[in-house]
PDB file of all heavy atoms in Angstrom:
ATOM      1  N   ARG O   1     -13.181  31.184 -17.700  1.00  0.00           N
ATOM      2  CA  ARG O   1     -14.293  30.452 -18.279  1.00  0.00           C
ATOM      3  C   ARG O   1     -15.292  30.046 -17.193  1.00  0.00           C
ATOM      4  O   ARG O   1     -16.496  30.087 -17.410  1.00  0.00           O
ATOM      5  CB  ARG O   1     -13.752  29.227 -19.027  1.00  0.00           C
ATOM      6  CG  ARG O   1     -14.768  28.414 -19.708  1.00  0.00           C
ATOM      7  CD  ARG O   1     -15.279  29.109 -20.939  1.00  0.00           C
ATOM      8  NE  ARG O   1     -16.580  28.578 -21.274  1.00  0.00           N
ATOM      9  CZ  ARG O   1     -17.445  29.187 -22.022  1.00  0.00           C
ATOM     10  NH1 ARG O   1     -17.169  30.335 -22.544  1.00  0.00           N
ATOM     11  NH2 ARG O   1     -18.598  28.651 -22.260  1.00  0.00           N
ATOM     12  N   ALA O   2     -14.788  29.628 -16.041  1.00  0.00           N
ATOM     13  CA  ALA O   2     -15.692  29.246 -14.949  1.00  0.00           C
ATOM     14  C   ALA O   2     -16.561  30.424 -14.527  1.00  0.00           C
ATOM     15  O   ALA O   2     -17.763  30.256 -14.286  1.00  0.00           O
ATOM     16  CB  ALA O   2     -14.884  28.730 -13.759  1.00  0.00           C
ATOM     17  N   LYS O   3     -15.976  31.613 -14.452  1.00  0.00           N
ATOM     18  CA  LYS O   3     -16.740  32.796 -14.075  1.00  0.00           C
ATOM     19  C   LYS O   3     -17.834  33.079 -15.105  1.00  0.00           C
ATOM     20  O   LYS O   3     -18.973  33.384 -14.745  1.00  0.00           O
ATOM     21  CB  LYS O   3     -15.810  33.996 -13.929  1.00  0.00           C
ATOM     22  CG  LYS O   3     -16.490  35.235 -13.425  1.00  0.00           C
ATOM     23  CD  LYS O   3     -15.474  36.355 -13.226  1.00  0.00           C
ATOM     24  CE  LYS O   3     -16.165  37.608 -12.713  1.00  0.00           C
ATOM     25  NZ  LYS O   3     -15.200  38.694 -12.529  1.00  0.00           N
ATOM     26  N   ALA O   4     -17.495  32.982 -16.389  1.00  0.00           N
ATOM     27  CA  ALA O   4     -18.473  33.239 -17.454  1.00  0.00           C
ATOM     28  C   ALA O   4     -19.652  32.278 -17.367  1.00  0.00           C
ATOM     29  O   ALA O   4     -20.789  32.643 -17.666  1.00  0.00           O
ATOM     30  CB  ALA O   4     -17.801  33.138 -18.812  1.00  0.00           C
ATOM     31  N   ASP O   5     -19.384  31.039 -16.945  1.00  0.00           N
ATOM     32  CA  ASP O   5     -20.444  30.034 -16.805  1.00  0.00           C
ATOM     33  C   ASP O   5     -21.048  30.023 -15.404  1.00  0.00           C
ATOM     34  O   ASP O   5     -21.820  29.124 -15.062  1.00  0.00           O
ATOM     35  CB  ASP O   5     -19.907  28.646 -17.152  1.00  0.00           C
ATOM     36  CG  ASP O   5     -19.680  28.465 -18.637  1.00  0.00           C
ATOM     37  OD1 ASP O   5     -20.299  29.212 -19.432  1.00  0.00           O
ATOM     38  OD2 ASP O   5     -18.887  27.581 -19.016  1.00  0.00           O
ATOM     39  N   ARG O   6     -20.663  31.000 -14.578  1.00  0.00           N
ATOM     40  CA  ARG O   6     -21.173  31.141 -13.212  1.00  0.00           C
ATOM     41  C   ARG O   6     -20.958  29.875 -12.362  1.00  0.00           C
ATOM     42  O   ARG O   6     -21.837  29.466 -11.606  1.00  0.00           O
ATOM     43  CB  ARG O   6     -22.640  31.549 -13.222  1.00  0.00           C
ATOM     44  CG  ARG O   6     -22.859  32.905 -13.843  1.00  0.00           C
ATOM     45  CD  ARG O   6     -24.313  33.329 -13.755  1.00  0.00           C
ATOM     46  NE  ARG O   6     -24.482  34.587 -14.458  1.00  0.00           N
ATOM     47  CZ  ARG O   6     -25.220  34.719 -15.544  1.00  0.00           C
ATOM     48  NH1 ARG O   6     -25.860  33.705 -16.052  1.00  0.00           N
ATOM     49  NH2 ARG O   6     -25.328  35.892 -16.138  1.00  0.00           N
ATOM     50  N   LEU O   7     -19.794  29.286 -12.523  1.00  0.00           N
ATOM     51  CA  LEU O   7     -19.445  28.107 -11.731  1.00  0.00           C
ATOM     52  C   LEU O   7     -18.673  28.546 -10.486  1.00  0.00           C
ATOM     53  O   LEU O   7     -17.746  29.357 -10.588  1.00  0.00           O
ATOM     54  CB  LEU O   7     -18.601  27.136 -12.557  1.00  0.00           C
ATOM     55  CG  LEU O   7     -19.279  26.555 -13.785  1.00  0.00           C
ATOM     56  CD1 LEU O   7     -18.279  25.766 -14.617  1.00  0.00           C
ATOM     57  CD2 LEU O   7     -20.454  25.673 -13.386  1.00  0.00           C
ATOM     58  N   PRO O   8     -19.016  28.014  -9.333  1.00  0.00           N
ATOM     59  CA  PRO O   8     -18.328  28.409  -8.094  1.00  0.00           C
ATOM     60  C   PRO O   8     -17.001  27.670  -7.942  1.00  0.00           C
ATOM     61  O   PRO O   8     -16.867  26.744  -7.152  1.00  0.00           O
ATOM     62  CB  PRO O   8     -19.331  28.000  -7.007  1.00  0.00           C
ATOM     63  CG  PRO O   8     -20.038  26.818  -7.608  1.00  0.00           C
ATOM     64  CD  PRO O   8     -20.123  27.095  -9.093  1.00  0.00           C
ATOM     65  N   VAL O   9     -16.016  28.078  -8.712  1.00  0.00           N
ATOM     66  CA  VAL O   9     -14.711  27.424  -8.711  1.00  0.00           C
ATOM     67  C   VAL O   9     -13.667  28.420  -8.235  1.00  0.00           C
ATOM     68  O   VAL O   9     -13.680  29.582  -8.632  1.00  0.00           O
ATOM     69  CB  VAL O   9     -14.347  26.934 -10.130  1.00  0.00           C
ATOM     70  CG1 VAL O   9     -12.962  26.316 -10.156  1.00  0.00           C
ATOM     71  CG2 VAL O   9     -15.376  25.941 -10.638  1.00  0.00           C
ATOM     72  N   THR O  10     -12.761  27.947  -7.384  1.00  0.00           N
ATOM     73  CA  THR O  10     -11.637  28.757  -6.952  1.00  0.00           C
ATOM     74  C   THR O  10     -10.371  28.136  -7.516  1.00  0.00           C
ATOM     75  O   THR O  10     -10.146  26.929  -7.344  1.00  0.00           O
ATOM     76  CB  THR O  10     -11.546  28.793  -5.408  1.00  0.00           C
ATOM     77  OG1 THR O  10     -12.776  29.333  -4.903  1.00  0.00           O
ATOM     78  CG2 THR O  10     -10.368  29.636  -4.953  1.00  0.00           C
ATOM     79  N   PHE O  11      -9.583  28.928  -8.201  1.00  0.00           N
ATOM     80  CA  PHE O  11      -8.314  28.466  -8.736  1.00  0.00           C
ATOM     81  C   PHE O  11      -7.191  29.112  -7.945  1.00  0.00           C
ATOM     82  O   PHE O  11      -7.276  30.281  -7.574  1.00  0.00           O
ATOM     83  CB  PHE O  11      -8.173  28.861 -10.215  1.00  0.00           C
ATOM     84  CG  PHE O  11      -9.153  28.177 -11.116  1.00  0.00           C
ATOM     85  CD1 PHE O  11     -10.348  28.788 -11.459  1.00  0.00           C
ATOM     86  CD2 PHE O  11      -8.886  26.916 -11.608  1.00  0.00           C
ATOM     87  CE1 PHE O  11     -11.257  28.165 -12.289  1.00  0.00           C
ATOM     88  CE2 PHE O  11      -9.794  26.275 -12.431  1.00  0.00           C
ATOM     89  CZ  PHE O  11     -10.976  26.898 -12.783  1.00  0.00           C
ATOM     90  N   GLN O  12      -6.139  28.328  -7.671  1.00  0.00           N
ATOM     91  CA  GLN O  12      -4.986  28.861  -6.955  1.00  0.00           C
ATOM     92  C   GLN O  12      -3.735  28.223  -7.509  1.00  0.00           C
ATOM     93  O   GLN O  12      -3.647  26.996  -7.608  1.00  0.00           O
ATOM     94  CB  GLN O  12      -5.107  28.573  -5.456  1.00  0.00           C
ATOM     95  CG  GLN O  12      -3.991  29.203  -4.662  1.00  0.00           C
ATOM     96  CD  GLN O  12      -4.204  29.084  -3.166  1.00  0.00           C
ATOM     97  OE1 GLN O  12      -5.322  28.876  -2.694  1.00  0.00           O
ATOM     98  NE2 GLN O  12      -3.141  29.242  -2.409  1.00  0.00           N
ATOM     99  N   GLU O  13      -2.779  29.045  -7.875  1.00  0.00           N
ATOM    100  CA  GLU O  13      -1.499  28.543  -8.348  1.00  0.00           C
ATOM    101  C   GLU O  13      -0.641  28.160  -7.152  1.00  0.00           C
ATOM    102  O   GLU O  13      -0.704  28.791  -6.106  1.00  0.00           O
ATOM    103  CB  GLU O  13      -0.781  29.607  -9.162  1.00  0.00           C
ATOM    104  CG  GLU O  13      -1.473  29.932 -10.468  1.00  0.00           C
ATOM    105  CD  GLU O  13      -0.730  30.985 -11.264  1.00  0.00           C
ATOM    106  OE1 GLU O  13       0.506  31.079 -11.132  1.00  0.00           O
ATOM    107  OE2 GLU O  13      -1.395  31.709 -12.009  1.00  0.00           O
ATOM    108  N   ALA O  14       0.193  27.122  -7.357  1.00  0.00           N
ATOM    109  CA  ALA O  14       1.096  26.691  -6.296  1.00  0.00           C
ATOM    110  C   ALA O  14       2.212  25.855  -6.901  1.00  0.00           C
ATOM    111  O   ALA O  14       2.109  25.392  -8.039  1.00  0.00           O
ATOM    112  CB  ALA O  14       0.336  25.875  -5.252  1.00  0.00           C
ATOM    113  N   ASP O  15       3.267  25.650  -6.145  1.00  0.00           N
ATOM    114  CA  ASP O  15       4.374  24.796  -6.554  1.00  0.00           C
ATOM    115  C   ASP O  15       3.898  23.347  -6.486  1.00  0.00           C
ATOM    116  O   ASP O  15       3.565  22.843  -5.419  1.00  0.00           O
ATOM    117  CB  ASP O  15       5.557  25.023  -5.601  1.00  0.00           C
ATOM    118  CG  ASP O  15       6.763  24.149  -5.920  1.00  0.00           C
ATOM    119  OD1 ASP O  15       6.657  23.188  -6.710  1.00  0.00           O
ATOM    120  OD2 ASP O  15       7.843  24.437  -5.362  1.00  0.00           O
ATOM    121  N   ALA O  16       3.880  22.686  -7.628  1.00  0.00           N
ATOM    122  CA  ALA O  16       3.336  21.321  -7.695  1.00  0.00           C
ATOM    123  C   ALA O  16       4.135  20.315  -6.891  1.00  0.00           C
ATOM    124  O   ALA O  16       3.619  19.247  -6.556  1.00  0.00           O
ATOM    125  CB  ALA O  16       3.250  20.868  -9.152  1.00  0.00           C
ATOM    126  N   GLU O  17       5.370  20.638  -6.549  1.00  0.00           N
ATOM    127  CA  GLU O  17       6.177  19.720  -5.752  1.00  0.00           C
ATOM    128  C   GLU O  17       6.063  19.983  -4.255  1.00  0.00           C
ATOM    129  O   GLU O  17       6.586  19.214  -3.455  1.00  0.00           O
ATOM    130  CB  GLU O  17       7.646  19.810  -6.168  1.00  0.00           C
ATOM    131  CG  GLU O  17       7.896  19.285  -7.561  1.00  0.00           C
ATOM    132  CD  GLU O  17       9.361  19.409  -7.972  1.00  0.00           C
ATOM    133  OE1 GLU O  17      10.230  19.614  -7.094  1.00  0.00           O
ATOM    134  OE2 GLU O  17       9.619  19.309  -9.172  1.00  0.00           O
ATOM    135  N   ASP O  18       5.376  21.059  -3.893  1.00  0.00           N
ATOM    136  CA  ASP O  18       5.240  21.426  -2.485  1.00  0.00           C
ATOM    137  C   ASP O  18       3.949  22.215  -2.310  1.00  0.00           C
ATOM    138  O   ASP O  18       3.967  23.418  -2.036  1.00  0.00           O
ATOM    139  CB  ASP O  18       6.453  22.254  -2.040  1.00  0.00           C
ATOM    140  CG  ASP O  18       6.456  22.549  -0.550  1.00  0.00           C
ATOM    141  OD1 ASP O  18       5.797  21.811   0.221  1.00  0.00           O
ATOM    142  OD2 ASP O  18       7.100  23.540  -0.159  1.00  0.00           O
ATOM    143  N   LEU O  19       2.839  21.545  -2.471  1.00  0.00           N
ATOM    144  CA  LEU O  19       1.538  22.215  -2.425  1.00  0.00           C
ATOM    145  C   LEU O  19       1.230  22.681  -1.000  1.00  0.00           C
ATOM    146  O   LEU O  19       1.352  21.907  -0.057  1.00  0.00           O
ATOM    147  CB  LEU O  19       0.438  21.282  -2.931  1.00  0.00           C
ATOM    148  CG  LEU O  19       0.558  20.903  -4.415  1.00  0.00           C
ATOM    149  CD1 LEU O  19      -0.467  19.832  -4.794  1.00  0.00           C
ATOM    150  CD2 LEU O  19       0.391  22.139  -5.295  1.00  0.00           C
ATOM    151  N   PRO O  20       0.833  23.945  -0.846  1.00  0.00           N
ATOM    152  CA  PRO O  20       0.606  24.509   0.490  1.00  0.00           C
ATOM    153  C   PRO O  20      -0.803  24.236   1.015  1.00  0.00           C
ATOM    154  O   PRO O  20      -1.480  25.140   1.508  1.00  0.00           O
ATOM    155  CB  PRO O  20       0.815  26.017   0.239  1.00  0.00           C
ATOM    156  CG  PRO O  20       0.333  26.217  -1.156  1.00  0.00           C
ATOM    157  CD  PRO O  20       0.728  24.954  -1.902  1.00  0.00           C
ATOM    158  N   PHE O  21      -1.238  22.993   0.913  1.00  0.00           N
ATOM    159  CA  PHE O  21      -2.588  22.618   1.313  1.00  0.00           C
ATOM    160  C   PHE O  21      -2.527  21.379   2.195  1.00  0.00           C
ATOM    161  O   PHE O  21      -1.641  20.543   2.057  1.00  0.00           O
ATOM    162  CB  PHE O  21      -3.461  22.326   0.088  1.00  0.00           C
ATOM    163  CG  PHE O  21      -3.410  23.404  -0.951  1.00  0.00           C
ATOM    164  CD1 PHE O  21      -2.835  23.164  -2.182  1.00  0.00           C
ATOM    165  CD2 PHE O  21      -3.926  24.664  -0.697  1.00  0.00           C
ATOM    166  CE1 PHE O  21      -2.769  24.157  -3.156  1.00  0.00           C
ATOM    167  CE2 PHE O  21      -3.869  25.669  -1.655  1.00  0.00           C
ATOM    168  CZ  PHE O  21      -3.292  25.411  -2.884  1.00  0.00           C
ATOM    169  N   ALA O  22      -3.523  21.250   3.050  1.00  0.00           N
ATOM    170  CA  ALA O  22      -3.615  20.078   3.931  1.00  0.00           C
ATOM    171  C   ALA O  22      -3.942  18.827   3.116  1.00  0.00           C
ATOM    172  O   ALA O  22      -4.476  18.915   2.008  1.00  0.00           O
ATOM    173  CB  ALA O  22      -4.699  20.314   4.982  1.00  0.00           C
ATOM    174  N   ASP O  23      -3.652  17.683   3.705  1.00  0.00           N
ATOM    175  CA  ASP O  23      -4.013  16.408   3.080  1.00  0.00           C
ATOM    176  C   ASP O  23      -5.510  16.381   2.805  1.00  0.00           C
ATOM    177  O   ASP O  23      -6.316  16.890   3.601  1.00  0.00           O
ATOM    178  CB  ASP O  23      -3.661  15.237   4.013  1.00  0.00           C
ATOM    179  CG  ASP O  23      -2.163  15.078   4.226  1.00  0.00           C
ATOM    180  OD1 ASP O  23      -1.376  15.837   3.623  1.00  0.00           O
ATOM    181  OD2 ASP O  23      -1.782  14.201   5.019  1.00  0.00           O
ATOM    182  N   ALA O  24      -5.883  15.769   1.683  1.00  0.00           N
ATOM    183  CA  ALA O  24      -7.294  15.535   1.322  1.00  0.00           C
ATOM    184  C   ALA O  24      -8.118  16.831   1.310  1.00  0.00           C
ATOM    185  O   ALA O  24      -9.272  16.837   1.707  1.00  0.00           O
ATOM    186  CB  ALA O  24      -7.912  14.490   2.247  1.00  0.00           C
ATOM    187  N   SER O  25      -7.536  17.917   0.825  1.00  0.00           N
ATOM    188  CA  SER O  25      -8.211  19.222   0.821  1.00  0.00           C
ATOM    189  C   SER O  25      -9.191  19.419  -0.338  1.00  0.00           C
ATOM    190  O   SER O  25     -10.071  20.265  -0.245  1.00  0.00           O
ATOM    191  CB  SER O  25      -7.180  20.349   0.723  1.00  0.00           C
ATOM    192  OG  SER O  25      -6.361  20.386   1.850  1.00  0.00           O
ATOM    193  N   PHE O  26      -9.028  18.674  -1.428  1.00  0.00           N
ATOM    194  CA  PHE O  26      -9.762  19.007  -2.640  1.00  0.00           C
ATOM    195  C   PHE O  26     -10.521  17.823  -3.224  1.00  0.00           C
ATOM    196  O   PHE O  26     -10.047  16.688  -3.204  1.00  0.00           O
ATOM    197  CB  PHE O  26      -8.801  19.542  -3.708  1.00  0.00           C
ATOM    198  CG  PHE O  26      -8.120  20.805  -3.298  1.00  0.00           C
ATOM    199  CD1 PHE O  26      -6.839  20.778  -2.783  1.00  0.00           C
ATOM    200  CD2 PHE O  26      -8.766  22.023  -3.410  1.00  0.00           C
ATOM    201  CE1 PHE O  26      -6.212  21.939  -2.385  1.00  0.00           C
ATOM    202  CE2 PHE O  26      -8.142  23.196  -3.015  1.00  0.00           C
ATOM    203  CZ  PHE O  26      -6.864  23.148  -2.503  1.00  0.00           C
ATOM    204  N   ASP O  27     -11.683  18.134  -3.777  1.00  0.00           N
ATOM    205  CA  ASP O  27     -12.445  17.144  -4.534  1.00  0.00           C
ATOM    206  C   ASP O  27     -11.804  16.915  -5.888  1.00  0.00           C
ATOM    207  O   ASP O  27     -11.832  15.812  -6.429  1.00  0.00           O
ATOM    208  CB  ASP O  27     -13.882  17.632  -4.771  1.00  0.00           C
ATOM    209  CG  ASP O  27     -14.652  17.812  -3.488  1.00  0.00           C
ATOM    210  OD1 ASP O  27     -14.395  17.056  -2.534  1.00  0.00           O
ATOM    211  OD2 ASP O  27     -15.508  18.713  -3.435  1.00  0.00           O
ATOM    212  N   VAL O  28     -11.248  17.991  -6.466  1.00  0.00           N
ATOM    213  CA  VAL O  28     -10.631  17.930  -7.794  1.00  0.00           C
ATOM    214  C   VAL O  28      -9.311  18.690  -7.762  1.00  0.00           C
ATOM    215  O   VAL O  28      -9.235  19.795  -7.233  1.00  0.00           O
ATOM    216  CB  VAL O  28     -11.546  18.553  -8.871  1.00  0.00           C
ATOM    217  CG1 VAL O  28     -10.856  18.585 -10.225  1.00  0.00           C
ATOM    218  CG2 VAL O  28     -12.863  17.799  -8.960  1.00  0.00           C
ATOM    219  N   VAL O  29      -8.299  18.094  -8.341  1.00  0.00           N
ATOM    220  CA  VAL O  29      -6.995  18.720  -8.529  1.00  0.00           C
ATOM    221  C   VAL O  29      -6.748  18.712 -10.028  1.00  0.00           C
ATOM    222  O   VAL O  29      -6.909  17.674 -10.674  1.00  0.00           O
ATOM    223  CB  VAL O  29      -5.883  17.943  -7.778  1.00  0.00           C
ATOM    224  CG1 VAL O  29      -4.537  18.606  -7.968  1.00  0.00           C
ATOM    225  CG2 VAL O  29      -6.224  17.801  -6.307  1.00  0.00           C
ATOM    226  N   LEU O  30      -6.374  19.861 -10.591  1.00  0.00           N
ATOM    227  CA  LEU O  30      -6.330  20.001 -12.041  1.00  0.00           C
ATOM    228  C   LEU O  30      -5.008  20.562 -12.520  1.00  0.00           C
ATOM    229  O   LEU O  30      -4.475  21.506 -11.935  1.00  0.00           O
ATOM    230  CB  LEU O  30      -7.463  20.938 -12.482  1.00  0.00           C
ATOM    231  CG  LEU O  30      -7.597  21.255 -13.948  1.00  0.00           C
ATOM    232  CD1 LEU O  30      -7.968  20.003 -14.741  1.00  0.00           C
ATOM    233  CD2 LEU O  30      -8.650  22.344 -14.141  1.00  0.00           C
ATOM    234  N   SER O  31      -4.498  20.002 -13.622  1.00  0.00           N
ATOM    235  CA  SER O  31      -3.313  20.538 -14.278  1.00  0.00           C
ATOM    236  C   SER O  31      -3.482  20.378 -15.785  1.00  0.00           C
ATOM    237  O   SER O  31      -3.645  19.262 -16.285  1.00  0.00           O
ATOM    238  CB  SER O  31      -2.050  19.803 -13.828  1.00  0.00           C
ATOM    239  OG  SER O  31      -0.957  20.226 -14.631  1.00  0.00           O
ATOM    240  N   THR O  32      -3.421  21.485 -16.482  1.00  0.00           N
ATOM    241  CA  THR O  32      -3.501  21.449 -17.936  1.00  0.00           C
ATOM    242  C   THR O  32      -2.139  21.850 -18.485  1.00  0.00           C
ATOM    243  O   THR O  32      -1.764  23.025 -18.443  1.00  0.00           O
ATOM    244  CB  THR O  32      -4.593  22.417 -18.445  1.00  0.00           C
ATOM    245  OG1 THR O  32      -5.825  22.088 -17.793  1.00  0.00           O
ATOM    246  CG2 THR O  32      -4.767  22.316 -19.941  1.00  0.00           C
ATOM    247  N   PHE O  33      -1.373  20.862 -18.942  1.00  0.00           N
ATOM    248  CA  PHE O  33      -0.034  21.069 -19.502  1.00  0.00           C
ATOM    249  C   PHE O  33       0.846  21.857 -18.542  1.00  0.00           C
ATOM    250  O   PHE O  33       1.583  22.747 -18.946  1.00  0.00           O
ATOM    251  CB  PHE O  33      -0.112  21.769 -20.873  1.00  0.00           C
ATOM    252  CG  PHE O  33      -1.022  21.087 -21.842  1.00  0.00           C
ATOM    253  CD1 PHE O  33      -2.187  21.715 -22.270  1.00  0.00           C
ATOM    254  CD2 PHE O  33      -0.740  19.820 -22.311  1.00  0.00           C
ATOM    255  CE1 PHE O  33      -3.046  21.090 -23.161  1.00  0.00           C
ATOM    256  CE2 PHE O  33      -1.589  19.183 -23.201  1.00  0.00           C
ATOM    257  CZ  PHE O  33      -2.750  19.819 -23.631  1.00  0.00           C
ATOM    258  N   GLY O  34       0.768  21.535 -17.249  1.00  0.00           N
ATOM    259  CA  GLY O  34       1.546  22.262 -16.255  1.00  0.00           C
ATOM    260  C   GLY O  34       2.437  21.379 -15.417  1.00  0.00           C
ATOM    261  O   GLY O  34       3.660  21.491 -15.457  1.00  0.00           O
ATOM    262  N   VAL O  35       1.829  20.475 -14.641  1.00  0.00           N
ATOM    263  CA  VAL O  35       2.599  19.652 -13.703  1.00  0.00           C
ATOM    264  C   VAL O  35       3.651  18.815 -14.437  1.00  0.00           C
ATOM    265  O   VAL O  35       4.678  18.470 -13.859  1.00  0.00           O
ATOM    266  CB  VAL O  35       1.662  18.761 -12.841  1.00  0.00           C
ATOM    267  CG1 VAL O  35       1.049  17.640 -13.645  1.00  0.00           C
ATOM    268  CG2 VAL O  35       2.395  18.230 -11.621  1.00  0.00           C
ATOM    269  N   MET O  36       3.426  18.567 -15.693  1.00  0.00           N
ATOM    270  CA  MET O  36       4.375  17.757 -16.466  1.00  0.00           C
ATOM    271  C   MET O  36       5.762  18.404 -16.555  1.00  0.00           C
ATOM    272  O   MET O  36       6.736  17.737 -16.876  1.00  0.00           O
ATOM    273  CB  MET O  36       3.813  17.466 -17.855  1.00  0.00           C
ATOM    274  CG  MET O  36       3.588  18.674 -18.729  1.00  0.00           C
ATOM    275  SD  MET O  36       2.748  18.306 -20.284  1.00  0.00           S
ATOM    276  CE  MET O  36       4.002  17.416 -21.154  1.00  0.00           C
ATOM    277  N   PHE O  37       5.868  19.696 -16.249  1.00  0.00           N
ATOM    278  CA  PHE O  37       7.141  20.402 -16.340  1.00  0.00           C
ATOM    279  C   PHE O  37       7.905  20.437 -15.019  1.00  0.00           C
ATOM    280  O   PHE O  37       8.936  21.103 -14.923  1.00  0.00           O
ATOM    281  CB  PHE O  37       6.920  21.830 -16.860  1.00  0.00           C
ATOM    282  CG  PHE O  37       6.500  21.847 -18.304  1.00  0.00           C
ATOM    283  CD1 PHE O  37       5.172  22.015 -18.638  1.00  0.00           C
ATOM    284  CD2 PHE O  37       7.428  21.666 -19.314  1.00  0.00           C
ATOM    285  CE1 PHE O  37       4.780  22.015 -19.968  1.00  0.00           C
ATOM    286  CE2 PHE O  37       7.045  21.667 -20.644  1.00  0.00           C
ATOM    287  CZ  PHE O  37       5.712  21.840 -20.973  1.00  0.00           C
TER     288      PHE O  37
END
């Protein structure tokens, strides 16, 4: 959907209990019916 609306968004899947990113890496962190599992 982001691509269709020409939004510059990068999505990356990762293990929610061990995210492979540095501290304070993102402006927005998103989970839609995912992290709850």
Side-chain angles (χ1 to χ4, degrees):
R1 182 73 202 160
K3 185 176 180 181
D5 287 338
R6 296 184 184 115
L7 297 172
V9 177
T10 301
F11 294 95
Q12 185 172 340
E13 293 181 29
D15 179 347
E17 292 179 16
D18 186 22
L19 295 173
F21 310 113
D23 294 357
S25 295
F26 298 98
D27 297 328
V28 176
V29 181
L30 179 66
S31 172
T32 305
F33 307 114
V35 72
M36 63 187 290
F37 291 100

